[in-house]
Amino acid sequence: MWKYILLMLFAVSVGLMSPAGADGIIIVDPPPGVDVRLDQSLAIKYHHVDIQIKDQVATTRVDQVFVNDNPWTAEGTYIFPLPQGAAVSDFVMWVDGKAVHGEILEADEARTIYDDVVRRMKDPALLEYVGRKALKASVFPIPPGEERKIELEYSQILPVENGLVHYIYPLSTERFSSRPLEELVVRAEIESSEPLKAVYSSRHEVSIDREDDYHALLGLEQSDVLPDRDFELFYTISTEKVGLNLLSYKEVGQDGFFLILAAPNVQVDEEEIVARDVILVLDTSGSMNGDKMDQAREAARFVLDHLNPLDRFAIISFASTTRSFSPRLEPVSKKNQGMEFVDRLEAMGSTDINRAVIEALGLVEEDRPTTLIFLTDGLATEGVTETGAILDNVDREAPDNVRIFSFGVGDDVDTDLLDQISLDHSGASTYVRPGDQIDEEVSAFYSKVKTPVLSDLTIDYGDIVVDQVYPQEIPDLFAGSQLILLGRYREGGPSQITL
């Protein structure tokens, strides 16, 4: 439900912004006696989009290959609806090694083409682009089985509203391809003279790489797909140490929706990093023998090697019994000894999960944020083995300042236990199938959470009454991460929101 609300909220909140151009399509003129719908015309082999955004100037480069899968020769018109104010700097269609250039149609000329297609093919999809200019090019005959490559580049200025920048590249017209795309690749690179805070794609799961406060790289790769959602990108800019943006929408007579984006700097001064404790709880039961034990050692070494100067750490291994590096939390100066302890660990015995986690929680000091990383490959087979009893014991012993992150290895993991234990204590659970690299999963996770800047977060909404807030427990805020908070509110009005 919340995913739907998020998409609707974004659509309404930025509805006054002009969307970027639409995906190009080839409108085929079929041979006499052949009735062709728009979704039965040409296939799109691959589609590559490269987006460069520099201080709100977006340059979009499109590379598409169309294939004629029909038994007859195809020809027609290539149409690419353009965003408001876009300037086309390059357009090339390659035909037998020769470049064919297109022309820009004004909005009323484009409307004539759209109306004609809708009338002939009885598909109103193109009418959503009415009111926009378009790029048009004639498509020379494409024999059965042959391809045509199209390259296009255009630039536009993205408006900034209250520190929020919005870019959209509609992909939904790809649903008219006669078969799924073999490859879809979207790459977006952002460079800003003002510090970037939140960077977010509302409709796709994208990889986001932040090297510093002024650059971001997003990537989307899919194969064998018919895209049905536009690619949308939101990012915020702010000179504050923690940028905060609010989007809201309210129908008359109904409760409203709101979305809060909050993000700190990627790079922070050492004195701004919250000192915290890291407790590693490692399964060394017999089933961990071999590659899994080697991976667990590498993961532990990575965590120890990336502790912050004022952090403390503890290591507890468990099988039938537990074994600790030290009976207390140790300073970073002892991390080399900790690595030596990890290197000597051997896999043997049963699995006493309850004892290991309870012992680890006994080290937590309530005045310091604590991250507990719990790695196991099996079910509890020793001591307390019932899932509900283990959860009750953990809930009773865990202070509010501990965050539990669980990593399950293999196919015999108690997922109910790991999911619930992490959910109850503001963490997350990750699972690695046989053959996958657990050390890569742990290192990727730890890279994101190694630099906390705000913990124990609460939000004061002032005079505004809110409910249905998700997530209910606000996670800690780390350098380079972001907080995405959804909810509903009753009556609107001026209010100061305090994080």
Side-chain angles (χ1 to χ4, degrees):
M1 180 188 72
W2 278 114
K3 186 175 183 182
Y4 167 76
I5 292 174
L6 173 61
L7 298 182
M8 182 180 72
L9 177 61
F10 267 128
V12 175
S13 298
V14 299
L16 296 180
M17 298 183 185
S18 299
D23 207 15
I25 58 175
I26 291 180
I27 301 167
V28 174
D29 294 324
V34 177
D35 184 19
V36 180
R37 297 196 313 269
L38 192 57
D39 61 352
Q40 292 180 318
S41 51
L42 298 184
I44 301 172
K45 183 176 182 180
Y46 73 74
H47 188 166
H48 295 171
V49 184
D50 185 80
I51 305 155
Q52 301 282 330
I53 302 176
K54 184 173 182 179
D55 291 328
Q56 286 73 70
V57 177
T59 301
T60 303
R61 300 177 181 89
V62 183
D63 179 2
Q64 289 176 281
V65 169
F66 292 86
V67 183
N68 182 15
D69 286 338
N70 299 295
W72 36 266
T73 298
E75 60 181 307
T77 304
Y78 175 79
I79 292 290
F80 192 103
L82 294 166
Q84 299 291 339
V88 177
S89 53
D90 188 32
F91 171 80
V92 177
M93 176 184 292
W94 295 98
V95 180
D96 297 329
K98 298 179 181 179
V100 178
H101 296 276
E103 61 176 317
I104 304 297
L105 301 179
E106 295 301 323
D108 54 349
E109 297 176 284
R111 172 63 187 259
T112 300
I113 292 178
Y114 300 157
D115 286 341
D116 181 60
V117 173
V118 171
R119 183 171 55 255
R120 287 190 294 114
M121 297 187 175
K122 299 180 176 59
D123 193 321
L126 281 173
L127 292 182
E128 63 184 288
Y129 309 122
V130 165
R132 302 191 210 170
K133 295 192 298 183
L135 178 66
K136 172 191 173 185
S138 297
V139 180
F140 291 160
I142 309 175
E146 289 198 9
E147 302 176 351
R148 290 292 181 266
K149 180 177 181 178
I150 291 177
E151 296 176 330
L152 168 67
E153 178 178 300
Y154 63 90
S155 299
Q156 65 189 114
I157 297 176
L158 304 178
V160 183
E161 294 191 5
N162 298 319
L164 178 70
V165 182
H166 177 218
Y167 172 92
I168 179 172
Y169 183 87
L171 288 168
S172 58
T173 53
E174 297 285 41
R175 65 185 182 273
F176 299 130
S177 175
S178 63
R179 57 180 165 89
L181 282 68
E182 295 179 15
E183 183 181 68
L184 169 65
V185 178
V186 180
R187 180 182 183 276
E189 187 172 356
I190 306 171
E191 179 180 345
S192 175
S193 57
E194 291 189 59
L196 297 169
K197 291 299 188 289
V199 180
Y200 184 63
S201 176
S202 61
R203 299 187 177 185
H204 293 87
E205 291 187 8
V206 299
S207 63
I208 301 177
D209 183 24
R210 299 285 304 274
E211 64 178 74
D212 56 33
D213 289 321
Y214 302 92
H215 299 83
L217 179 64
L218 292 84
L220 169 67
E221 294 189 15
Q222 296 178 338
S223 58
D224 192 30
V225 62
L226 279 175
D228 59 356
R229 292 175 293 172
D230 299 335
F231 176 80
E232 288 200 73
L233 167 61
F234 295 85
Y235 67 90
T236 63
I237 53 177
S238 173
T239 56
E240 301 291 334
K241 289 185 177 180
V242 177
L244 190 146
N245 296 82
L246 171 72
L247 294 174
S248 63
Y249 172 74
K250 189 176 187 301
E251 291 272 7
V252 176
Q254 299 182 22
D255 288 353
F257 297 93
F258 71 88
L259 169 74
I260 289 177
L261 295 173
N265 295 336
V266 172
Q267 298 170 315
V268 297
D269 296 332
E270 187 173 302
E271 62 270 16
E272 295 178 302
I273 300 174
V274 177
R276 50 76 186 272
D277 297 330
V278 178
I279 302 175
L280 287 166
V281 182
L282 305 176
D283 186 347
T284 56
S285 61
S287 59
M288 287 286 293
N289 191 40
D291 289 342
K292 287 190 285 188
M293 195 65 237
D294 293 337
Q295 292 172 344
R297 291 191 191 99
E298 287 301 312
R301 290 180 64 87
F302 181 93
V303 172
L304 294 173
D305 200 40
H306 288 78
L307 294 170
N308 297 313
L310 298 180
D311 290 347
R312 299 183 302 183
F313 74 95
I315 308 169
I316 297 176
S317 68
F318 71 96
S320 301
T321 61
T322 61
R323 184 184 176 200
S324 299
F325 166 65
S326 170
R328 65 186 65 85
L329 289 156
E330 297 290 355
V332 174
S333 59
K334 291 193 174 182
K335 70 176 184 180
N336 289 336
Q337 293 96 311
M339 291 183 184
E340 293 173 0
F341 172 82
V342 169
D343 289 340
R344 293 194 298 269
L345 293 176
E346 296 181 355
M348 62 180 68
S350 302
T351 308
D352 193 340
I353 290 176
N354 183 81
R355 179 175 178 176
V357 176
I358 297 303
E359 187 173 318
L361 293 173
L363 296 174
V364 177
E365 298 179 7
E366 296 190 12
D367 60 338
R368 284 170 66 99
T370 300
T371 298
L372 193 157
I373 301 175
F374 172 47
L375 188 151
T376 182
D377 77 333
L379 304 168
T381 59
E382 186 87 12
V384 180
T385 59
E386 200 271 317
T387 297
I390 297 175
L391 291 172
D392 290 340
N393 292 340
V394 172
D395 287 343
R396 185 174 58 253
E397 298 295 332
D400 292 338
N401 61 309
V402 68
R403 308 289 184 259
I404 300 179
F405 294 86
S406 304
F407 290 85
V409 187
D411 292 327
D412 299 322
V413 181
D414 186 347
T415 56
D416 291 337
L417 172 65
L418 298 194
D419 287 346
Q420 197 62 47
I421 204 172
S422 296
L423 180 64
D424 290 345
H425 300 282
S426 304
S429 52
T430 301
Y431 298 97
V432 183
R433 298 295 304 279
D436 292 344
Q437 296 296 312
I438 180 64
D439 52 331
E440 293 180 2
E441 294 289 345
V442 174
S443 61
F445 144 74
Y446 194 73
S447 296
K448 297 176 183 177
V449 301
K450 70 185 181 72
T451 314
V453 292
L454 288 175
S455 61
D456 254 352
L457 291 175
T458 59
I459 291 187
D460 182 352
Y461 296 93
D463 297 329
I464 303 298
V465 177
V466 304
D467 52 31
Q468 300 185 49
V469 178
Y470 180 83
Q472 293 180 341
E473 298 292 331
I474 303 176
D476 296 339
L477 206 51
F478 300 89
S481 69
Q482 56 197 24
L483 169 66
I484 301 171
L485 198 68
L486 286 159
R488 302 201 69 172
Y489 66 95
R490 298 179 190 175
E491 298 301 325
S495 186
Q496 177 169 295
I497 298 177
T498 306
L499 175 67

